[in-house]
Amino acid sequence: MAKDNDCIFCKLANGDIPTNLLYENDLAAAFADANPQAPVHVLVVPKDHYANIIDGIPADVLAAMVDAVDHVARERGLDKAGFRTIMNTGEAAGQTVNHVHMHILGGTSLGEGLL
Ligand code: AMP
Ligand code: ZN
């Protein structure tokens, strides 16, 4: 799988559009959500283009995304405070950017889980 030239998250994750990467490893990157829904709202994305979580993402890419979640969570103190991860898949679930991304939400009480 490669980059998609028309995809904004491909460009952000690979530095083709300058952004403040909060963390990166070889296969994934983390940056702040432009429209934060919580005091901490970070997006973790693979550097290669996959549309969503069921788009055949290789295990090493998934592991790199989890590594990025781990780093961001610890750096923001969310490892102790707790946080929520969300991946929306498809229009009905509210996916607006068709490059797979994991939301990390935290820094406040988020209430009970599941919607
Ligand atoms: P979703 O609705 O799950 O597809 O989430 C897409 C998220 O991407 C939203 O929370 C947007 O605020 C965020 N977003 C869209 N464009 C950008 C951008 N250029 N930089 C950072 N976040 C963005
Ligand atoms: Zn992409």
Side-chain angles (χ1 to χ4, degrees), residues 38-108:
V40 178
H41 189 172
V42 174
L43 299 176
V44 168
V45 308
K47 291 185 174 180
D48 279 348
H49 185 86
Y50 301 92
N52 56 48
I53 191 65
I54 54 169
D55 193 23
I57 306 175
D60 57 346
V61 175
L62 290 169
M65 292 175 70
V66 174
D67 171 68
V69 172
D70 185 308
H71 274 80
V72 169
R74 287 175 200 285
E75 193 176 77
R76 298 299 178 90
L78 302 182
D79 54 324
K80 298 206 170 53
F83 62 98
R84 185 168 292 161
T85 47
I86 297 175
M87 298 177 86
N88 296 320
T89 302
E91 221 174 303
Q95 184 177 9
T96 58
V97 179
N98 289 320
H99 176 127
V100 68
H101 48 280
M102 194 179 300
H103 296 259
I104 301 174
L105 294 154
T108 188

